[in-house]
């Protein structure tokens, strides 16, 4: 979808084949958006020095795609009136509201202007809800609306607070429909709606329903959760577990996957930087690669959740979630099509797990260079659960040399001669060194790219034109952990981390706790985290099991 002056948003994707086919897509469109088909898999053609000659074109020309027709149907409703209208106005009758038109045959321009001036202050055309008893109807409708907005039973004072809004709006000449909308707007601006109103101590059933629903659906409780809360059954462990499974199995749980990964893995920053146009023209403007990388990480975590796979898969796994673009990017056996699906990895693959996925490696790079410090700090905090203190004030940052004269490792060795720096860098740098074989977009490299110096090289840009860069010094991915254990590359580094699977699970449990409760894990909470791990150990710290044990814990049930 495209919103002028050029904001774009992906609605969906289909795999186009040589044979004609019909592809269907369900999506929400924003006001003012238009639909723009884009053959993202094909290279872009732009004129170069030799006009329209493209290295990727075949003898019979450039690949292309034909869109024969596009049909839009909507809005699509499962019921009429829609649920939102029923919530606001129940079964009250409706009537169409129209503005009187000014006749074009009226030659009196002054009279036409006067009519338009009078009509300017009349309601806009649309649907008007008719009420013969406005205030009693307003009380009844507000009671139902507030109950869902506040996510708890409603008392008379809750309703009485907003009746004056309806009266005031009607006294000013507004009809019943617009007066009710004014009151509903006031409800949605109140703290009771905007915030989760949890009282300290054990959560009641309604607060628990909200916490569970916002955790796993990122939305207010549905009717089934509200009924369980009304019956005071939600706190019963079997009922709570069944409801959690129901929410996790529902398609709406993709909201949890997206929001949790945006927080935990910082995937919300994936488009904050772009690959350098000169050094990495093969990635520049490759929207399909970026979108596929994001889809890979979300699908990977969703698979861990669906199959209750052990938390150690976060560090290393024997499968990846790939499509055609990613398999090519990772230099793996080809996968056909644009759909991301579970794919078994070769035995000695450097892929597998989260750390070597393109989305993570892009988020932890700046588009031009990679930094072991940034990536190492990210792994310590996001995967291992270790908090690194900030650097001393007024200390200059270590900037990689884009000329390729010295490696970032050589610069860090000089930097670490300062005792105040070495204390933290001895922890941060080794995980970052392990990832040095991966460039700014997660592609494998044996040598760094540079703007000058080193061996000249060529590549093919997304535009289809050739670009030049230089191969600089070779990559050294070896390192030593603070406890003295050494590794030569990412494969050995992963194995060292897997020696302590409980720590991987502990960090995941803590990240889930922070996301679910909105509160940090304090020192006094550590015993509860350990109980969650103890109860999950028999299932090899399965990701779904960890979520269930968290939901049953005092950390989740208590404010």
């Amino acid at each position: 979808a495209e919103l002028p002056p050029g904001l774009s948003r992906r609605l969906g994707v289909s795999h186009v084949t040589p044979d004609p086919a019909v592809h269907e897509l369900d999506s929400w469109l924003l006001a003012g958006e238009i639909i723009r088909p884009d053959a993202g898999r094909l290279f872009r053609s732009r004129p170069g020095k030799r006009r329209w000659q493209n290295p990727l074109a075949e003898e019979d020309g450039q690949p292309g795609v034909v869109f024969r027709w596009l049909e839009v149907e909507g809005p699509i409703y499962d019921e009429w009136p829609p649920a939102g209208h029923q919530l606001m106005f129940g079964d009250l009758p409706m009537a169409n509201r129209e503005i009187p038109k000014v006749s074009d045959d009226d030659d009196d321009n002054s009279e036409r202007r006067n009519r338009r001036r009078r009509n300017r202050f009349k309601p806009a055309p649309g649907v008007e809800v008719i009420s013969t008893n406005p205030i009693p109807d307003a009380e009844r409708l507000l009671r139902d609306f507030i109950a869902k907005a506040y996510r708890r039973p409603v008392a008379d004072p809750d309703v009485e607070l907003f009746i004056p809004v309806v009266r005031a709006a009607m006294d000013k000449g507004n009809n019943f429909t617009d007066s009710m909308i004014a009151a509903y707007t006031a409800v949605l601006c109140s703290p009771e709606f905007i915030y989760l109103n949890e009282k300290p101590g054990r959560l009641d059933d309604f607060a628990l329903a909200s916490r569970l629903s916002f955790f796993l659906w990122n939305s207010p409780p549905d009717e089934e959760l509200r009924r369980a809360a009304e019956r005071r059954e939600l706190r019963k462990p079997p009922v709570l577990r069944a409801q959690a499974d129901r929410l996790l199995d529902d398609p709406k749980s993709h909201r949890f996957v997206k929001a949790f990964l945006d927080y935990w893995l910082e995937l919300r920053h994936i488009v904050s930087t772009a690959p350098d146009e000169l050094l990495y023209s093969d990635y520049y403007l490759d929207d399909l690669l970026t979108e596929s990388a994001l889809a890979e990480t979300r699908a990977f975590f969703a698979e861990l959740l669906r199959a209750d796979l052990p938390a150690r898969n976060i560090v290393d796994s024997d499968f990846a979630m790939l499509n055609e673009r990613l398999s090519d990017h990772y230099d793996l056996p080809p996968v056909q099509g644009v759909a991301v699906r579970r794919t078994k990895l070769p035995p000695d693959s450097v892929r597998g797990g989260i750390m070597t996925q393109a989305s993570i490696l892009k988020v932890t790079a700046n588009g031009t260079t990679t930094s072991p410090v940034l990536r190492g700090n990210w792994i310590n905090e996001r995967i291992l659960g270790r908090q690194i203190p900030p650097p001393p004030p007024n200390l200059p940052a270590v900037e990689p040399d884009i000329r390729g004269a010295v490696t970032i490792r050589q610069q860090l060795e000089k930097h670490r001669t300062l005792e105040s720096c070495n204390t933290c860098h001895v922890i941060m740098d080794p995980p970052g060194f392990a990832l040095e074989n991966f460039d700014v977009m997660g592609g494998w490299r044996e040598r760094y790219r540079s703007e000058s110096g080193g061996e000249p090289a060529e590549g093919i840009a997304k535009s289809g034109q050739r670009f030049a860069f230089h191969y600089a010094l070779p990559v050294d991915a070896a390192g030593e952990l603070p406890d003295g254990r050494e590794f030569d590359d990412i494969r050995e580094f992963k194995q060292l981390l897997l020696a302590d699977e409980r720590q991987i699970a502990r960090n995941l449990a803590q990240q889930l706790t922070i996301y679910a409760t909105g509160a940090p894990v304090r020192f006094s909470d550590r015993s509860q985290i350990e109980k969650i791990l103890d109860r999950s150990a028999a299932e090899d710290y399965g990701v779904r099991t960890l979520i269930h044990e968290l939901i049953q814990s005092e950390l989740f049930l208590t404010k």
Side-chain angles (χ1 to χ4, degrees):
E2 188 173 287
L3 186 66
L7 300 176
S8 60
R9 182 173 66 93
R10 192 179 87 158
L11 298 180
V13 63
S14 296
H15 182 61
V16 179
T17 61
D19 297 323
V22 176
H23 303 274
E24 294 186 0
L25 171 68
D26 289 337
S27 181
W28 288 95
L29 290 177
L30 305 178
E33 281 187 327
I34 60 175
I35 297 176
R36 176 172 60 85
D38 179 24
R41 176 183 168 194
L42 307 180
F43 61 79
R44 304 175 188 272
S45 181
R46 294 175 180 170
K49 294 181 180 178
R50 291 179 293 180
R51 190 178 182 185
W52 301 115
Q53 289 189 8
N54 192 308
L56 296 179
E58 300 178 2
E59 291 183 1
D60 55 352
Q62 174 184 330
V65 60
V66 174
F67 296 93
R68 294 187 174 180
W69 51 268
L70 176 68
E71 179 180 286
V72 180
E73 179 184 354
I76 300 174
Y77 295 109
D78 296 328
E79 55 184 345
W80 187 263
H85 178 93
Q86 294 181 42
L87 173 61
M88 293 191 295
F89 298 110
D91 56 358
L92 291 178
M94 295 179 288
N96 287 328
R97 182 172 62 195
E98 298 182 359
I99 289 181
K101 295 182 179 180
V102 178
S103 174
D104 292 334
D105 297 331
D106 191 346
D107 295 330
D108 189 345
N109 291 334
S110 61
E111 176 62 22
R112 189 181 306 167
R113 284 194 299 270
N114 289 334
R115 289 185 184 180
R116 286 173 177 166
R117 188 178 297 111
R118 290 194 299 269
N119 289 337
R120 185 187 311 165
F121 301 100
K122 292 185 177 181
V127 174
E128 182 175 343
V129 177
I130 308 301
S131 171
T132 57
N133 298 293
I135 299 305
D137 283 339
E139 292 177 350
R140 172 176 58 86
L141 294 172
L142 275 169
R143 186 174 298 275
D144 292 340
F145 186 88
I146 294 173
K148 289 195 174 181
Y150 286 4
R151 305 171 294 273
R152 61 168 175 78
V154 175
D156 289 340
D158 295 320
V159 180
E160 294 167 358
L161 183 64
F162 298 99
I163 292 299
V165 178
V166 179
R167 293 184 184 275
M170 297 185 70
D171 290 343
K172 292 180 179 179
N174 291 286
N175 59 30
F176 178 77
T177 307
D178 293 337
S179 300
M180 289 302 300
I181 291 176
Y184 293 146
T185 302
V187 173
L188 298 180
C189 291
S190 66
E192 286 268 16
F193 171 74
I194 296 175
Y195 300 103
L196 288 176
N197 190 18
E198 299 173 342
K199 298 179 180 179
R202 298 278 287 186
L203 300 180
D204 62 30
D205 285 73
F206 293 98
L208 181 57
S210 291
R211 177 172 281 194
L212 182 65
S213 185
F214 279 106
F215 176 30
L216 300 181
W217 274 6
N218 205 22
S219 67
D222 65 351
E223 191 64 34
E224 185 170 339
L225 263 182
R226 286 195 295 269
R227 287 198 301 267
E230 290 169 356
R231 294 192 298 265
R232 302 297 193 272
E233 293 180 347
L234 192 55
R235 294 185 60 85
K236 298 178 181 179
V239 175
L240 185 57
R241 184 180 183 88
Q243 288 295 329
D245 270 329
R246 181 178 70 86
L247 268 59
L248 287 172
D249 292 337
D250 191 280
K252 288 193 284 288
S253 64
H254 79 274
R255 302 171 186 167
F256 158 63
V257 173
K258 178 181 182 297
F260 176 62
L261 296 186
D262 280 353
Y263 148 71
W264 173 35
L265 304 180
E266 299 183 317
L267 292 188
R268 63 189 183 279
H269 297 315
I270 194 167
V271 294
S272 296
T273 62
D276 187 88
E277 184 179 2
L278 300 177
L279 277 178
Y280 292 99
S281 291
D282 42 348
Y283 302 146
Y284 184 67
L285 296 180
D286 194 341
D287 296 336
L288 180 60
L289 178 56
T290 300
E291 292 166 355
S292 297
L294 188 60
E296 174 192 15
T297 305
R298 290 174 179 170
F300 182 81
F301 186 79
E303 180 67 7
L304 300 186
L305 183 60
R306 182 197 65 80
D308 196 22
L309 298 179
R312 63 174 175 266
N313 284 275
I314 292 171
V315 170
D316 196 19
S317 62
D318 62 357
F319 72 95
M321 308 300 288
L322 304 176
N323 64 4
E324 183 172 320
R325 182 66 188 91
L326 288 171
S327 64
D328 179 67
H329 181 56
Y330 294 158
D331 196 24
L332 291 170
V335 174
Q336 295 298 317
V338 74
V340 173
R341 82 293 307 258
R342 180 168 175 162
T343 308
K344 188 171 181 59
L345 291 170
D348 199 34
S349 175
V350 296
R351 306 296 169 173
I354 284 176
M355 296 186 298
T356 54
Q357 293 178 2
S359 64
I360 303 304
L361 296 161
K362 185 178 190 300
V363 165
T364 55
N366 64 13
T368 302
T369 58
T370 61
S371 168
V373 178
L374 297 178
R375 282 180 170 173
N377 185 60
W378 189 93
I379 290 177
N380 273 287
E381 290 188 352
R382 301 293 162 174
I383 304 299
L384 303 179
R386 299 172 183 160
Q387 295 298 317
I388 308 296
N394 303 321
L395 192 68
V398 180
E399 298 292 342
D401 179 13
I402 60 175
R403 300 168 303 168
V406 293
T407 65
I408 184 65
R409 178 187 288 269
Q410 292 168 337
Q411 290 177 283
L412 285 172
E413 287 176 354
K414 182 178 180 180
H415 184 74
R416 289 168 61 177
T417 57
L418 300 174
E419 182 61 30
S420 59
C421 299
N422 186 59
T423 302
C424 292
H425 279 276
V426 73
I427 302 173
M428 284 192 300
D429 295 353
F433 288 146
L435 295 178
E436 276 297 270
N437 278 119
F438 300 96
D439 64 23
V440 298
M441 198 63 211
W444 182 262
R445 65 185 177 188
E446 298 288 348
R447 298 168 67 181
Y448 295 100
R449 289 188 188 184
S450 66
E451 294 181 347
S452 60
E455 178 186 343
E458 278 192 348
I460 299 178
K462 178 67 177 177
S463 64
Q465 303 302 314
R466 298 188 185 278
F467 71 99
F469 60 94
H470 292 78
Y471 280 122
L473 298 172
V475 173
D476 182 1
E480 180 181 340
L481 298 182
D483 58 11
R485 291 179 296 165
E486 298 179 350
F487 59 88
D488 288 331
D489 56 20
I490 183 62
R491 299 178 183 88
E492 294 184 4
F493 175 72
K494 287 181 178 181
Q495 295 308 307
L496 295 181
L497 295 189
L498 290 178
D500 189 359
E501 293 184 23
R502 189 177 177 96
Q503 179 57 32
I504 306 301
R506 180 181 292 111
N507 173 67
L508 179 58
Q510 291 175 338
Q511 299 289 355
L512 287 166
T513 300
I514 295 170
Y515 176 82
T517 65
V521 176
R522 298 176 292 268
F523 181 83
S524 58
D525 299 326
R526 293 183 181 180
S527 61
Q528 288 294 324
I529 295 293
E530 296 306 312
K531 290 180 181 179
I532 292 173
L533 296 175
D534 290 341
R535 294 193 295 266
S536 305
E539 302 297 329
D540 291 329
Y541 308 113
V543 173
R544 194 182 186 104
T545 298
L546 285 170
I547 290 176
H548 274 303
E549 296 302 336
L550 166 61
I551 291 171
Q552 300 284 347
S553 73
E554 288 299 311
L555 289 174
F556 192 84
L557 299 173
T558 307
K559 170 66 173 180

